[in-house]
Amino acid sequence: MSTASEHAGQAALSICEALLLALNDRGLLPEHEIVGVLRDAAATHENAVGTELETEGHQAVADVINTIIAAWDAVPRA
């Protein structure tokens, strides 16, 4: 069963992805900058310290972001 925080996280992810795509589509932020933002976000979570449970959570977030980067790289651009 999903929790309210999981739904909030999914909503935030969807909004951020849509914003990044719109910024790129409008030519306001080049693709390499968007990938850079995503890489910075992933690195922040990969380098986070805390308890074992917190570290696992941060790594899970980094994994999601790295999956988004891989998907972004796989999309052919005109």
Side-chain angles (χ1 to χ4, degrees), residues 6-20:
E6 288 173 325
H7 293 301
Q10 291 172 355
L13 177 60
S14 293
I15 292 165
C16 289
E17 284 183 294
L19 286 170
L20 290 173

Side-chain angles (χ1 to χ4, degrees), residues 29-59:
L29 197 60
E31 188 173 322
H32 73 275
E33 291 287 340
I34 291 171
V35 173
V37 166
L38 294 171
R39 288 189 199 285
D40 287 348
T44 296
H45 287 282
E46 289 167 343
N47 297 318
V49 295
T51 67
E52 184 176 342
L53 184 58
E54 290 168 335
T55 301
E56 288 175 11
H58 282 292
Q59 187 57 53

